[in-house]
Amino acid sequence: MDMTKNQDVIVIGAGIIGISIALKLQSEGRQVLVLDRKGVAAETSSGNAGAFAFADVIPLATPGIMRKAPKWLIDPLGPLSLRPAYALKILPWMLRFWRASWQDKYQAALAAQASLMDFSKAALERQIQAVNGEAMIRREGQLQLYEGEAEFNASLAGWQTRQQHGVIYEFLLSPDAIAKVQPGIHPRFTHAAFTPEWKNVCDPAEWTKHLAEEFEKLGGRIAIASIDSIELNSDRVTLKSDAADYETSQVVLAAGAWSKTLARSIGDSLPLDTERGYNTTLPAGAFNLKTHITFSNHGFVVTKIGEGIRVGGAVELGGLNLEPNYQRANVLLEKAANFLPGLKVNGGKQWMGFRPSMPDSLPVISYSSRSQRVIYAFGHGHLGLTQSAGTAELVAALANTQAPDIDLTPFSATRF
Ligand SMILES: Cc1cc2nc3c(=O)[nH]c(=O)nc-3n(C[C@H](O)[C@H](O)[C@H](O)COP(=O)(O)OP(=O)(O)OC[C@H]3O[C@@H](n4cnc5c(N)ncnc54)[C@H](O)[C@@H]3O)c2cc1C
C-alpha cells in the first residue's frame, strides 16, 4: 500500500507522546501511520528519568521565581543555566515565563496542571493494562530530600499546595527515619517528604518501544520520514517531507521540542523552546536504590534504570543547535557521590535531552488555530512521560470530535 496517499491519521513524532497517541487512536478503530525522522524513542523520550511524577503539579513559573533566578544563573554549572550564545533568542520565552509567574496566571496554570495530572494518573493505569505492561512499572514512591530545618520549612507551602491538589505524602523528620526508606543517604539530609503514589518505568526507552511494538502488532505502521512542513488543502492535509509528500485526513503534531517550525508552517506562532537536561547512567551495582530520590534544591534526581542507576536533571537554556556541555553531567554526578557516599561513579554513559517547554509549564493539547484536521500534542516539558497516557486519551477525543474529559482551554494553541 502506498503510504503517501489517503491516510486516515498521521502522527508526526515517535516519542512517548506520539506513540501513546497512535496506540490510543488505533484502539478506537483509526488507521494510524507514525512518521519520525529517526525512529522510535530516538530523542527526549529515550533517556529521561523514567518517572511518572504525579506529585509535580506545581508549574515552574512560581510567584517570586524571577527574584531567585539570577542567583541560580550566576553559577554556569548550577541547576539552571543560560548559554550566552542563546540569551537573546530565549528572551521572548523568558518574558512569557515571567508573566506566567504572576499570581493570576500561576493559579490558573496550577489548577490546569493538577487536572491534567489527575486525569493522566488514571489514564496511565488504563494504558498499562491495555499493553500488558505491569512488569515494566516500579511502584516504589519518591523521596524528596532537604538539608536542614530551614530548607524543609521553606518547602512546606509547596507541600500544602500539593495536598490541596490531591497529592499524598508523608514527612520524615530525621536521618534515621529517612534511612528506613532509603539507607545510604548522607546525614546532612535531615528532612524528607515521601510520595508513595509516584511510579517509575523500568526504562523509558524500553517502555516507548514496548508501546510501539504493541501498536505494530495490531497493524499500526511506523516509517522514517523527516517532515518539512504541513499544508492545508480543502479536505486533506499534505505533509511535505525530504523524500515524498504524504496526504492524510488528519494529522497529530507530536514532534516534541521540534514542533515549533512545523506549527509555524500553517501559521501558528507558539512560544515553544527547550530546557535541555543532562544525565549519567551508571552500570548495575552502582547503588542499592529502593525508591526514586529527588534532590530538589540541587535540581537533580537519582533513579533506577534497568539494572543501573541514572543521575541527572538540571535545566540549560541553550536551544536545539548548540553542542552539549557534558561538564553539567559531571557536576551532577559529583554531587550525587557526595550525597550518596556508597555510589560507584565509574563506567557511566552521559546523555543530553531536549525537554519541549512552554513558558507556563503546560503542554499544548489543542486543534491548530487554522483547522481541526491538525491537532497539536507537544510542549510537555519535564512531564512528557508522566502525562503521555492522559494526553493520548485527550487527543483521541479531539480527533474523534468528542468532548474531552477535562477542560482543554488552558492547553489551547492560542492561549498566548
Ligand atoms: C534529563 C531529563 C529528564 C526527564 N525526566 C522525566 C521524567 O522522569 N518524567 C517525565 O514525565 N518526563 C521527563 N522528562 C521530560 C520528557 O522526557 C519529555 O517531556 C518527553 O520525552 C517528550 O516526549 P515527546 O514525544 O513530546 O518528544 P520526543 O521524545 O523528543 O520525541 C519527538 C520525536 O519527534 C521526532 N521529530 C522531530 N522533528 C521531526 C520532523 N520534522 N519530522 C519527523 N519527526 C520529527 C524526533 O525524531 C523525536 O523522535 C525529562 C527530560 C529530560 C531532558
Side-chain angles (χ1 to χ4, degrees):
M1 184 189 164
D2 183 356
M3 286 198 293
T4 64
K5 300 264 178 325
N6 299 324
Q7 293 300 318
D8 177 18
V9 195
I10 292 182
V11 177
I12 306 175
I16 189 61
I17 299 294
I19 292 292
S20 297
I21 291 168
L23 249 180
K24 184 65 197 162
L25 287 171
Q26 179 187 55
S27 77
E28 300 194 342
R30 304 292 299 267
Q31 298 297 312
V32 188
L33 168 64
V34 179
L35 297 176
D36 194 291
R37 64 181 175 202
K38 292 185 176 169
V40 175
E43 293 283 358
T44 326
S45 301
S46 66
N48 64 47
F52 295 107
F54 294 118
D56 286 356
V57 293
I58 300 179
L60 294 176
T62 46
I65 194 160
M66 295 309 271
R67 281 195 303 277
K68 293 181 209 152
K71 189 182 75 191
W72 294 331
L73 286 168
I74 285 169
D75 176 0
L77 294 174
L80 171 66
S81 75
L82 171 59
R83 294 280 284 261
Y86 200 67
L88 274 181
K89 292 200 178 108
I90 192 94
L91 201 60
W93 188 94
M94 291 295 282
L95 288 172
R96 287 193 165 103
F97 181 86
W98 171 61
R99 178 65 185 96
S101 74
W102 295 12
Q103 252 325 320
D104 57 338
K105 295 271 186 196
Y106 162 75
Q107 290 297 345
L110 171 64
Q113 191 73 294
S115 87
L116 179 57
M117 290 295 235
D118 206 36
F119 181 70
S120 297
K121 190 160 64 175
L124 173 66
E125 297 302 332
R126 292 189 279 274
Q127 189 189 51
I128 292 170
Q129 219 177 8
V131 301
N132 205 5
E134 185 59 35
M136 300 180 84
I137 304 296
R138 292 187 166 125
R139 297 177 188 268
E140 296 173 348
Q142 177 232 194
L143 201 53
Q144 275 207 36
L145 291 160
Y146 300 100
E147 284 173 275
E149 198 154 5
E151 200 176 283
F152 174 65
N153 286 342
S155 78
L156 289 177
W159 286 107
Q160 254 166 28
T161 303
R162 291 183 186 93
Q163 190 175 44
Q164 282 156 11
H165 291 284
V167 175
I168 296 169
Y169 57 87
E170 179 195 346
F171 288 144
L172 307 170
L173 302 176
S174 70
D176 283 348
I178 294 170
K180 287 201 178 104
V181 177
Q182 175 63 62
I185 297 174
H186 195 285
R188 68 200 268 180
F189 293 95
T190 52
H191 295 66
F194 183 70
T195 55
E197 289 192 332
W198 185 285
K199 291 174 263 297
N200 283 67
V201 73
C202 62
D203 180 325
E206 294 307 315
W207 176 243
T208 312
K209 284 179 194 157
H210 175 68
L211 300 186
E213 278 161 21
E214 291 293 305
F215 169 69
E216 288 187 303
K217 240 194 260 168
L218 297 168
R221 289 155 310 144
I222 303 175
I224 301 287
S226 181
I227 305 303
D228 296 327
S229 64
I230 303 172
E231 275 184 21
L232 291 171
N233 314 314
S234 53
D235 60 343
R236 312 289 295 162
V237 183
T238 305
L239 306 179
K240 301 264 177 196
S241 91
D242 49 350
D245 294 350
Y246 291 80
E247 271 193 6
T248 180
S249 320
Q250 245 177 354
V251 62
V252 180
L253 175 55
W258 296 269
S259 302
K260 184 176 170 143
T261 49
L262 292 175
R264 197 190 291 135
S265 68
I266 57 158
D268 278 325
S269 173
L270 285 152
L272 176 71
D273 214 293
T274 181
E275 295 173 76
R276 297 148 57 120
Y278 291 83
N279 60 37
T280 306
T281 306
L282 301 167
F287 193 76
N288 185 8
L289 200 64
K290 308 271 185 207
T291 182
H292 178 106
I293 294 181
T294 303
F295 295 104
S296 37
N297 289 311
H298 297 274
F300 75 97
V301 304
V302 180
T303 186
K304 258 190 262 180
I305 298 290
E307 297 301 310
I309 297 288
R310 186 164 287 167
V311 176
V315 167
E316 181 186 64
L317 302 173
L320 294 169
N321 300 319
L322 293 178
E323 285 298 304
N325 172 7
Y326 284 112
Q327 190 49 26
R328 301 189 61 79
N330 295 337
V331 167
L332 298 179
L333 195 57
E334 269 170 42
K335 281 192 178 182
N338 286 330
F339 300 166
L340 306 172
L343 182 71
K344 299 191 186 96
V345 294
N346 294 329
K349 192 163 174 255
Q350 294 180 320
W351 178 83
M352 184 192 75
F354 298 93
R355 298 182 189 94
S357 298
M358 299 295 285
D360 57 2
S361 300
L362 301 179
V364 181
I365 304 172
S366 167
Y367 294 120
S368 74
S369 71
R370 297 281 309 285
S371 165
Q372 294 199 356
R373 292 186 183 282
V374 183
I375 298 171
Y376 295 148
F378 54 79
H380 294 75
H382 295 237
L383 296 167
L385 175 65
T386 308
Q387 298 177 339
S388 52
T391 299
E393 292 193 10
L394 295 166
V395 167
L398 292 179
N400 296 327
T401 47
Q402 291 157 355
D405 285 286
I406 64 168
D407 176 17
L408 288 183
T409 318
F411 307 97
S412 156
T414 55
R415 67 186 187 266
F416 286 96

